[in-house]
Amino acid sequence: MDTPEQLLAAALDEVSHAKSSVELREIELKFLGKSGSIPGLMKQLGGLAKEDRPAFGQRTNTAKATVEAAVEARRADIKFKEQVAQFESERIDVTMPGESPRIGREHILQQATNKIKRVLGGMGFLYLESPELELFQYNFAALNYPPDHPAMDDQDTFYVDDTYLLRTQCTALQGRVFERTKPPLRAFTVGRCFRNEAVDRTHGHTFHQVDCFMIDEGVSMAHLKGTLGVFARAMFGDEVSVRFRPDFFPFVEPGVDYAISTPKLFNGRWVELGGAGLIHPNILERYGIDSERYSGFAFGLGVERIPMMAYGVDDLRQFLENDLRFLNQFQFEPIR
Ligand code: FA5
């Protein structure tokens, strides 16, 4: 029969050779578990002389405590080694080149649109949207185009039926606003327009426009000029100048087209941006706005013109061709 000291020696030997926490746990159960050999020593008590029992019990407890301490110490040791091994196997080489994530960027026309929204929004114009599939009524009739007027030929479009068409100009927003809102008002929109055009480097069948307008008492061409000047400088830089020339649009009187020039762009050549003017009194009256008391200005321009001028892109068809080699070149910032 084993003595406590024999079991203690055997246990310490095995513990010291345990190689893994699993193995150590088995050894712990073998010597210290409920039916382990050290607690099993107590069964011998009955066979001992009464006076020998306390000493035997004490030797057994000493053996048990010593083995417990040895197991704990060994466990900590093994755990440390196992962790070191795990860290080693999972080591990350931070010097290895990473996989670069594919980060998208906003389309160049969206970047230009965001900038336009910030600038006009910052000047107190409310951003609104109106449908691309528009009523003939808002695209033409409400804008003072007489029936069969040749001005509509300049904006030949895609008719869905006699009532609906793909809008040719963002100016179509105006009637929708005037019938719901009384002056003073300031609003603008940016969106897609469509024309049945002979497509070339500066004309697409699908393009984008800004349309911006305000109505208040005493609004004059001076306000239009001032607003367009601030807008152009915010978009293209402080050195830009704006030129106005008479032009005809049925919904403005007087009507102008406007161009900008800056020494940094196209050697200072004038580049046309869009049309503008004072909102025609007929339109104000049609919407119950007293044209003696109120007046308004409106201007529109092609969004494509902005990055074309900022980057010297000479063919707007590239904007919608989705060639990433082209699109990835642009991070729109004003030219300063
Ligand atoms: C208009 O569309 C008027 N609605 C502008 C306006 C608004 C005048 C408010 C007065 C008051 P126009 O047809 O000229 O006007 O177009 C304005 C601008 O849109 C052009 O200068 C050009 O920059 C752009 N644009 C017109 N057609 C196309 C096209 N097919 N492709 C690309 N851009 C175009």
Side-chain angles (χ1 to χ4, degrees):
M1 229 177 280
D2 290 321
T3 65
E5 290 69 25
Q6 284 169 326
L7 286 181
L8 172 62
L12 292 181
D13 182 50
E14 288 195 32
V15 166
S16 70
H17 288 100
K19 286 190 186 55
S20 68
S21 41
V22 175
E23 202 183 316
L24 182 65
R25 178 71 184 143
E26 279 165 12
I27 297 166
E28 185 181 22
L29 288 173
K30 177 175 158 192
F31 287 98
L32 299 173
K34 260 193 197 145
S35 39
S37 51
I38 294 178
L41 288 168
M42 292 303 187
K43 288 185 199 141
Q44 295 180 31
L45 281 180
L48 294 178
K50 209 172 173 191
E51 61 276 17
D52 292 336
R53 289 180 193 169
F56 186 83
Q58 212 163 38
R59 283 162 55 208
T60 302
N61 283 339
T62 305
K64 189 172 166 229
T66 310
V67 174
E68 277 172 355
V71 166
E72 281 320 311
R74 185 72 188 136
R75 178 171 286 135
D77 189 32
I78 288 175
K79 198 165 174 118
F80 176 73
K81 287 191 177 126
E82 283 177 346
Q83 275 178 348
V84 169
Q86 184 190 354
F87 291 154
E88 196 56 41
S89 72
E90 293 176 3
R91 176 193 290 272
I92 296 168
D93 181 355
V94 291
T95 63
M96 268 185 29
E99 277 178 38
S100 53
R102 273 180 56 129
I103 299 175
R105 71 174 70 205
E106 283 180 313
H107 190 280
I108 178 64
L109 294 176
Q110 185 62 49
Q111 294 177 35
T113 301
N114 294 343
K115 173 102 198 198
I116 292 163
K117 285 182 179 172
R118 277 202 301 277
V119 171
L120 292 178
M123 293 169 78
F125 292 90
L126 176 68
Y127 177 71
L128 295 173
E129 288 183 356
S130 64
E132 293 175 359
L133 179 60
E134 186 54 283
L135 289 161
F136 176 88
Q137 162 68 17
Y138 291 115
N139 197 84
F140 289 125
L143 292 175
N144 206 30
Y145 286 80
D148 300 323
H149 193 277
M152 277 185 281
D153 299 345
D154 292 344
Q155 301 193 8
D156 188 17
T157 186
F158 306 98
Y159 286 87
V160 174
D161 54 30
D162 287 345
T163 317
Y164 283 98
L165 47 73
L166 294 182
R167 71 175 171 197
T168 60
Q169 51 185 343
C170 278
T171 316
L173 170 69
Q174 292 185 10
R176 292 177 172 275
V177 172
F178 300 159
E179 69 188 10
R180 284 184 288 140
T181 319
K182 292 297 153 227
L185 58 86
R186 292 182 210 191
F188 74 107
T189 192
V190 188
R192 210 148 47 143
C193 298
F194 310 85
R195 289 187 194 179
N196 186 6
E197 296 260 22
V199 170
D200 61 20
R201 295 192 312 161
T202 49
H203 294 88
H205 50 72
T206 302
F207 59 100
H208 298 76
Q209 275 192 343
V210 183
D211 200 90
C212 180
F213 49 90
M214 73 173 287
I215 301 180
D216 204 339
E217 292 181 29
V219 173
S220 69
M221 288 298 278
H223 296 103
L224 172 64
K225 260 191 118 170
T227 305
L228 272 172
V230 171
F231 175 74
R233 282 192 290 279
M235 297 304 294
F236 299 105
D238 289 336
E239 290 168 319
V240 81
S241 16
V242 186
R243 180 190 72 183
F244 292 79
R245 287 193 311 194
D247 199 353
F248 172 76
F249 299 94
F251 37 92
V252 284
E253 179 57 38
V256 293
D257 66 40
Y258 57 96
I260 62 161
S261 152
T262 151
K264 288 178 193 156
L265 296 171
F266 302 115
N267 297 322
R269 192 156 55 80
W270 291 103
V271 181
E272 190 190 307
L273 268 195
L278 293 185
I279 297 171
H280 201 293
N282 285 356
I283 296 181
L284 299 180
E285 294 296 337
R286 174 172 309 148
Y287 291 100
I289 299 167
D290 179 358
S291 64
E292 295 293 319
R293 179 169 172 205
Y294 289 108
S295 52
F297 70 65
F299 62 89
L301 64 135
V303 175
E304 282 78 0
R305 293 283 158 105
I306 292 171
M308 282 177 94
M309 293 177 57
Y311 297 118
V313 176
D314 62 359
D315 188 338
L316 58 66
R317 288 171 290 196
Q318 295 185 85
F319 289 130
L320 298 183
E321 271 171 9
N322 252 352
D323 183 341
L324 290 179
R325 290 167 305 177
F326 171 76
L327 293 174
N328 281 340
Q329 302 174 75
F330 305 116
Q331 190 65 47
F332 185 76
E333 280 299 326
I335 305 161
R336 290 216 177 269

